Amino acid sequence: MKLFSSKASFSSGDGGTTTPLYNVEDIEIRNWTVDDFAFWLQQKNYKKKIIKILKKEGWNGDSLMELKTEMISKVPSGISKSIFNDIQQLKIRQSEKVKIVENNGCINNSVTTSTSCESSIQRLNQENQE
């Protein structure tokens, strides 16, 4: 079992809307695509106008790893600070998840093999969703 999930395919829901079949926060931020970031912003209830601007600028996981508030210059300052803070909090949660799993001896070349490790990861995922 991998620490961070891979992406599933998209499905068409009611009204022809395309909805991802994965929790984008389960993907390590550095691996996010532009669409992953846009979907995450949508999940965080940012306005469509803001999402459109950031999507057009091509923000992906690599750029988010180096994110500074002043780098998000095409959106209002308060919103860029909010996005920055949300990303920083997610980085911390993901980092803590990695540390806990590593401390439990669950990592072996990025793949977990033990049932107890799988249980630890499932508990962490449940705690992060609460």
Side-chain angles (χ1 to χ4, degrees):
M1 177 178 194
K2 293 184 179 180
L3 181 59
F4 292 101
S5 303
S6 60
K7 293 187 279 185
S9 60
F10 287 79
S11 75
S12 181
D14 58 339
T17 309
T18 305
T19 309
L21 295 174
Y22 62 95
N23 180 355
V24 73
E25 290 191 5
D26 285 343
I27 301 169
E28 193 173 4
I29 291 174
R30 74 179 71 256
N31 296 326
W32 281 9
T33 64
V34 172
D35 288 332
D36 290 332
F37 181 49
F39 178 66
W40 179 81
L41 289 167
Q42 181 183 4
Q43 287 180 317
K44 294 296 220 177
N45 297 317
Y46 286 99
K47 293 183 179 181
K48 289 181 183 180
K49 180 179 177 180
I50 300 299
I51 296 169
K52 185 177 179 181
I53 290 168
L54 296 174
K55 193 170 181 177
K56 186 176 180 181
E57 287 188 347
W59 285 92
N60 64 16
D62 288 334
S63 53
L64 292 171
M65 294 306 293
E66 306 299 324
L67 182 65
K68 307 241 184 310
T69 54
E70 60 272 8
M71 294 169 72
I72 310 174
S73 59
K74 294 192 177 184
V75 298
S77 175
I79 295 172
S80 66
K81 287 178 183 174
S82 178
I83 292 169
F84 174 81
N85 289 335
D86 285 344
I87 288 290
Q88 292 307 108
Q89 289 174 6
L90 179 56
K91 285 180 184 178
I92 290 167
R93 285 194 313 271
Q94 287 186 349
S95 174
E96 288 172 350
K97 186 176 184 179
V98 169
K99 285 179 186 174
I100 289 170
V101 172
E102 285 176 344
N103 288 338
N104 287 330
C106 296
I107 299 296
N108 182 10
N109 295 327
S110 300
V111 178
T112 60
T113 55
S114 155
T115 304
S116 64
C117 293
E118 289 178 17
S119 299
S120 296
I121 292 170
Q122 288 173 351
R123 276 195 309 276
L124 289 169
N125 286 334
Q126 288 173 347
E127 290 171 7
N128 286 335
Q129 292 187 8
E130 293 176 353

